[in-house]
Amino acid sequence: MAETILVLGSNGQIGTELVTALRQKFGENQVIACDIKEPLETDGPFEQADVLDVSGLRKLFEKYQPTQVYLLAALLSAVGEQKPKKAWELNMDGLLNVLDLALEFKVKNVFWPSSIAVFGPNSPRENTPQYCVMDPNTVYGFSKLAGERWCEYYFQKYGLDVRSIRYPGLIGWKAAPGGGTTDYAVHIFHEALAKNSYECFLSENTALPMMFMNDAIRATLELMDAPAEKISIRSSYNLGGISFTPEMLAVEIRKHLPNFSISYKENDPRQAIADSWPKSIDDTYAQKDWGWKLKFDLKEMTAEMLNNLKK
Ligand code: AKB
């Protein structure tokens, strides 16, 4: 059966790359990019959509009768702390609106991203397991944790095939990240090439799990392709990626730009968020259930970022 796919929140860091990958796989006209703002450029169908506007969303579902929906619209961790109520509303009501419409229109699969932000200060920091204490202390984090519970609930109660990944910090060169704690790991490459220096808002030894965007997009498509009986987790899958500190990244960048220098800003509010998150993640379930395997390590990711941004 031909797929018709709605990507809600298509202009963001993940959406920009996911739409391209889905169009390559399913055909340009089968993937409808949807965002609250018009994109600067588009090479396929686009619809303006606000995930908080149920009647507007319903019209989209009526018009396209999607078989798959990817809901990416969200406020991330750092911006969420500046607009806590707005983050809760967008992240929670947006999800519930889409889950309800997916049921009503008998959508086959829904993808919704969660995050390592679902963990908190009392979660194990190293090799954080799939199941453990979870006490996130950011609005973004607890909206994602609540969202995971809703996804599992809609699967168990109504049989809706929702799938999800707890993304680590995502690093790509095609689109800018939008207000997260892990954004430094993208900004650093732009500034290294433009100025040969970078002032990092996290301290030099702050280790966080990160992932190159090619791996994240591949993981998303692999999870969505997996047979339903292989999906044992209906909340959201841990995905480990690469764990590194700003200092480790700077050392790797210096292999390409020997004079690159890094300094560290003090008292940035994002430090406290990073300090409450895991340093590394155990993704055994993703490996076991749908064969997940990481391709890009720190060295390869750094080389790809610099080579592509240089162009
Ligand atoms: C953020 O930093 O808020 C995001 C995330 C890890 O979910 N990149």
Side-chain angles (χ1 to χ4, degrees):
M1 184 175 106
E3 302 282 350
T4 305
I5 302 172
L6 290 186
V7 180
L8 300 161
S10 57
N11 290 355
Q13 192 196 14
I14 302 173
T16 305
E17 302 214 21
L18 186 64
V19 166
T20 308
L22 288 169
R23 284 189 174 147
Q24 274 162 9
K25 189 169 159 140
F26 296 103
E28 204 167 276
N29 292 324
Q30 301 311 113
V31 182
I32 296 87
C34 313
D35 204 286
I36 197 158
K37 288 201 198 114
E38 292 271 351
L40 295 177
E41 50 187 293
T42 176
D43 50 9
F46 173 81
E47 295 275 358
Q48 214 153 9
D50 175 357
V51 295
L52 296 179
D53 167 18
V54 183
S55 73
L57 270 189
R58 174 171 285 109
K59 285 194 189 115
L60 269 186
F61 278 69
E62 271 162 8
K63 178 169 171 188
Y64 291 102
Q65 302 287 330
T67 54
Q68 290 187 35
V69 176
Y70 292 72
L71 168 58
L72 307 175
L75 279 199
L76 299 188
S77 56
V79 177
E81 292 310 284
Q82 286 153 17
K83 302 177 188 165
K85 298 273 168 57
K86 180 75 209 164
W88 178 258
E89 186 194 14
L90 176 65
N91 297 358
M92 215 69 300
D93 294 351
L95 173 62
L96 291 172
N97 291 344
V98 170
L99 292 178
D100 284 337
L101 286 168
L103 273 185
E104 189 181 326
F105 286 84
K106 302 192 169 34
V107 173
K108 198 164 50 89
N109 300 114
V110 177
F111 178 83
W112 172 82
S114 186
S115 160
I116 54 160
V118 292
F119 298 107
N122 290 297
S123 308
R125 301 286 306 283
E126 309 268 359
N127 218 17
T128 308
Q130 178 72 36
Y131 299 106
C132 59
V133 171
M134 296 166 95
D135 57 347
N137 56 13
T138 61
V139 179
Y140 174 65
F142 56 76
S143 70
K144 287 292 178 189
L145 183 53
E148 289 188 4
R149 305 318 307 149
W150 277 117
C151 288
E152 190 180 287
Y153 189 86
Y154 271 67
F155 172 73
Q156 284 175 349
K157 295 273 170 184
Y158 312 122
L160 184 66
D161 189 343
V162 198
R163 304 178 182 198
S164 176
I165 285 172
R166 291 174 181 156
Y167 289 125
L170 298 180
I171 302 171
W173 51 272
K174 290 187 186 155
T181 303
T182 57
D183 293 10
Y184 91 84
V186 178
H187 298 160
I188 193 171
F189 288 104
H190 290 268
E191 304 259 314
L193 288 168
K195 301 200 268 179
N196 225 353
S197 67
Y198 178 64
E199 186 185 39
C200 185
F201 57 76
L202 297 183
S203 67
E204 59 182 317
N205 293 322
T206 307
L208 287 171
M210 303 276 187
M211 185 176 280
F212 189 46
M213 192 58 93
N214 295 31
D215 272 334
I217 298 295
R218 185 171 53 80
T220 309
L221 299 182
E222 286 176 9
L223 171 63
M224 291 302 271
D225 268 352
E229 63 276 12
K230 296 270 182 204
I231 310 296
S232 70
I233 291 173
R234 291 295 180 162
S235 51
S236 189
Y237 277 95
N238 271 12
L239 220 55
I242 331 161
S243 286
F244 58 80
T245 64
E247 187 54 26
M248 287 161 75
L249 182 52
V251 167
E252 199 55 47
I253 290 175
R254 261 184 227 118
K255 293 181 186 162
H256 302 259
L257 302 166
N259 296 325
F260 173 68
S261 66
I262 186 163
S263 57
Y264 298 95
K265 189 176 157 199
E266 279 175 22
N267 301 324
D268 189 284
R270 288 166 284 193
Q271 184 67 49
I273 301 178
D275 289 341
S276 75
W277 285 357
K279 293 173 193 279
S280 59
I281 298 274
D282 172 18
D283 59 16
T284 313
Y285 280 90
Q287 295 175 38
K288 199 165 50 73
D289 286 3
W290 41 279
W292 168 244
K293 206 168 181 312
L294 189 79
K295 279 199 185 140
F296 287 85
D297 61 12
L298 178 59
K299 185 171 162 215
E300 287 158 343
M301 183 274 290
T302 304
E304 283 289 313
M305 284 298 287
L306 290 172
N307 288 340
N308 283 294
L309 287 175
K310 248 188 258 169
K311 291 180 201 159

